[in-house]
Amino acid sequence: MVDSVGKVVLPGENLTDLLGSDSTFESSAWSRNTTGDRFSDRVKTWFLKFKEPNIYWVDSFQKRYIPQRGDSVIGIITTKAGDVFRVDVGASELATLPYLAFESATKRNRPDVKVGDIVYCKFLVANKDMEPELVCIDGSGKSAGLGVIGRDGGMLLQVPINLVQKVLSPECVLFKTLGKNLKYEVAVGMNGRIWIKCHTVMETIAVANAISVSQHMTNQDIQKMCSQMADSLVGF
Amino acid sequence: MESEISKLRQLSSTLGDLSRPDGDATVSQGDTCVTSAVYGPGEVKVTKELLDKATIDVVYKPKSGLPGCAEKLLERTIRNSCETVILGNLHPRSSISITVQEIQNRGSLLSCCINSTCMALLDSGVSMRYLMAAVSCAINDNGGIIMDPNTLQEQSSVAVLTFVFENCNYGVITVSAKGCYTLDQFQQCLSKCRDASKYVFQFFKDSISKKLSKQ
């Protein structure tokens, strides 16, 4: 059982052989149980991973974002339609963002949002049968960092989904190491979009490059790369 | 099975070369080379929208000349195979677009197209029920069966058959046959191609493992 962790599993492979016949399956978003025989269709390709004490999951790599409820994403306002904004989040259809879903917005006090703005928002409704809906407030009506970003500059970068998951995980040292040498502001959307802002354009580009190349790097390599980058920015 | 393996031409592939598609693959079977790119799940025109599953769109582009009826048949065959394999129910009212570009055709074009489409789908992360592997064979004048025929062998043969298998139970997804053959010959070709498909599935697994080992 242990030695199959880290192995690649492909669609159609029978997992009961790998995991042992005494394990029971819980359905996850990516697997299906058929005929009750504890035979699971692997629907995506990917690494089998293990988390104590008894959860196996399949880690996948893809570029396309599929909306999930509760995810924070960066969207671009494309049009206004009646009482809602239509936002492009990189999914298969445009998401809606109501006017009233901003902090202290009322019917008389419209939020100051224009077409082309970048918004950091959260999915309220996201399933395969309904149009996705976003909001820029949390449960208590406060914005909590959500809302329009980037009015005063910055750069929007598109990266694969697995890179976003990597940099947001607690083990990844990228943001901490960058912060030792540079002052920067970053907003990370689960749809693969990252907004970066530093004092100068050169620093912004350097941070963007650092994030892109860290996709295939280990923590040690990331630390080395960040210190090299900091040196070159200063002029060595 | 050793003799079957030696009868298939050399398989090689590269994944993820292109920057714009969500997934792409270039597969070579001997000298026949095909590139496929997958975009999806993405936006779909309202006229083409399906309420309960994804709309799968395949475009085949020949190396030279405008696409004609033969190309449309190829597109249809690839699309029907993909509809069986892709879990379209997870993405209703979306579209999954597949573009297949012929780089070089030296025989067994349909099987190379389907193999490259399957690898591109794997690369893009679209949910699939199982994988598909295509194997072609040709029957020549004296009834002999040639696996993975090249252009000369195809032209001098009596019939050319392509089978597409899935990797759960090695059942048949698609059969495309051209020419005259007996029922016995059909059964023989089916069992030989089924054995050869295991080699193709192993090749898919090795290619993906090689790509993911960099992650």
Side-chain angles (χ1 to χ4, degrees):
Chain A
M1 199 153 59
V2 180
D3 54 349
S4 61
V5 172
K7 256 175 137 186
V8 170
V9 285
L10 292 180
E13 281 184 15
N14 190 340
L15 276 195
T16 34
D17 306 334
L18 290 180
L19 301 187
S21 53
D22 54 340
S23 54
T24 52
F25 283 114
E26 295 291 326
S27 268
S28 70
W30 309 131
S31 75
R32 262 175 32 234
N33 286 349
T34 59
T35 74
D37 272 345
R38 298 188 196 151
F39 171 92
S40 181
D41 289 335
R42 278 279 118 256
V43 298
K44 283 182 183 266
T45 306
W46 317 105
F47 283 125
L48 195 60
K49 295 246 175 105
F50 178 65
K51 182 177 161 182
E52 295 285 335
N54 55 2
I55 301 174
Y56 283 94
W57 48 284
V58 177
D59 198 12
S60 67
F61 302 101
Q62 58 185 78
K63 286 194 212 168
R64 197 73 174 186
Y65 176 65
I66 300 186
Q68 296 281 348
R69 185 187 141 91
D71 268 357
S72 303
V73 294
I74 294 184
I76 303 174
I77 310 269
T78 54
T79 49
K80 290 182 186 181
D83 263 342
V84 297
F85 295 110
R86 292 225 168 265
V87 183
D88 163 36
V89 288
S92 61
E93 55 184 328
L94 297 177
T96 59
L97 174 58
Y99 278 8
L100 297 173
F102 288 86
E103 188 174 4
S104 64
T106 60
K107 287 210 170 136
R108 287 215 189 147
N109 178 18
R110 297 226 147 172
D112 178 26
V113 181
K114 300 186 206 52
V115 171
D117 276 349
I118 303 176
V119 277
Y120 193 60
C121 35
K122 245 188 182 168
F123 273 108
L124 182 66
V125 170
N127 57 50
K128 62 186 171 84
D129 298 309
M130 293 171 63
E131 200 176 39
E133 266 180 50
L134 297 160
V135 286
C136 281
I137 47 173
D138 64 7
S140 55
K142 300 281 183 257
S143 76
L146 303 172
V148 178
I149 58 178
R151 276 274 170 77
D152 47 349
M155 173 179 153
L156 190 62
L157 181 67
Q158 177 85 38
V159 294
I161 311 289
N162 57 289
L163 176 56
V164 166
Q165 289 171 346
K166 177 176 174 173
V167 297
L168 285 179
S169 77
E171 297 108 34
C172 181
V173 298
L174 176 65
F175 287 139
K176 293 194 203 95
T177 327
L178 281 175
K180 282 194 198 141
N181 302 306
L182 286 174
K183 283 198 193 135
Y184 66 95
E185 204 184 330
V186 70
V188 179
M190 294 301 293
N191 55 343
R193 293 186 185 163
I194 302 182
W195 175 84
I196 307 157
K197 183 164 184 294
C198 301
H199 278 301
T200 66
V201 173
M202 205 161 70
E203 286 175 15
T204 312
I205 295 175
V207 173
N209 286 339
I211 295 176
S212 309
V213 302
S214 65
Q215 183 168 9
H216 298 295
M217 285 184 168
T218 61
N219 275 343
Q220 270 181 328
D221 292 337
I222 290 176
Q223 281 170 332
K224 242 189 289 182
M225 182 258 306
C226 288
S227 60
Q228 276 174 349
M229 190 188 78
D231 288 341
S232 65
L233 276 176
V234 174
F236 284 114
Chain B
M1 190 160 130
E2 284 305 318
S3 55
E4 300 306 334
I5 293 172
S6 61
K7 284 176 189 168
L8 282 185
R9 293 178 292 179
Q10 178 74 28
L11 276 167
S12 68
S13 71
T14 51
L15 293 167
D17 283 335
L18 306 173
S19 56
R20 286 185 132 247
D22 296 326
D24 69 282
T26 304
V27 169
S28 314
Q29 278 179 211
D31 286 330
T32 304
C33 183
V34 168
T35 299
S36 300
V38 171
Y39 297 82
E43 294 231 16
V44 65
K45 283 198 199 131
V46 185
T47 48
K48 286 196 188 168
E49 185 177 65
L50 290 173
L51 291 181
D52 58 341
K53 53 186 181 164
T55 310
I56 297 174
D57 214 354
V58 178
V59 176
Y60 170 80
K61 293 202 184 299
K63 184 168 72 175
S64 59
L66 290 172
C69 290
E71 284 75 30
K72 283 272 174 280
L73 179 60
L74 205 55
E75 283 175 15
R76 197 64 187 275
T77 314
I78 299 173
R79 200 186 83 207
N80 287 347
S81 307
C82 289
E83 278 181 0
T84 316
V85 159
I86 293 176
L87 278 167
N89 293 322
L90 291 179
H91 308 290
R93 304 176 334 276
S94 317
S95 84
I96 298 176
S97 305
I98 303 170
T99 308
V100 181
Q101 169 72 57
E102 171 202 340
I103 308 283
Q104 188 167 267
N105 179 12
R106 294 282 179 272
S108 303
L109 182 64
L110 174 59
S111 59
C112 196
C113 288
I114 290 186
N115 289 336
S116 118
T117 303
C118 183
M119 293 226 78
L121 286 168
L122 275 177
D123 189 42
S124 69
V126 169
S127 298
M128 294 198 275
R129 263 184 205 98
Y130 27 62
L131 298 181
M132 53 180 178
V135 184
S136 286
C137 64
I139 304 175
N140 61 16
D141 305 340
N142 27 354
I145 297 174
I146 306 166
M147 301 290 294
D148 206 9
N150 58 28
T151 326
L152 285 173
Q153 288 165 334
E154 270 183 1
Q155 280 167 352
S156 62
S157 66
V158 169
V160 177
L161 295 95
T162 305
F163 293 94
V164 182
F165 298 96
E166 43 91 357
N167 66 339
C168 268
N169 305 314
Y170 301 100
V172 176
I173 296 178
T174 307
V175 177
S176 173
K178 214 166 47 170
C180 294
Y181 47 92
T182 66
L183 185 58
D184 282 333
Q185 284 174 330
F186 181 86
Q187 295 294 353
Q188 274 178 1
C189 288
L190 176 58
S191 66
K192 283 196 169 183
C193 288
R194 182 174 270 140
D195 289 334
S197 71
K198 294 176 185 155
Y199 172 58
V200 181
F201 286 127
Q202 188 56 42
F203 165 72
F204 286 167
K205 186 146 190 180
D206 294 337
S207 308
I208 292 278
S209 305
K210 209 169 22 168
K211 180 195 171 195
L212 293 182
S213 66
K214 289 187 303 183
Q215 300 289 352

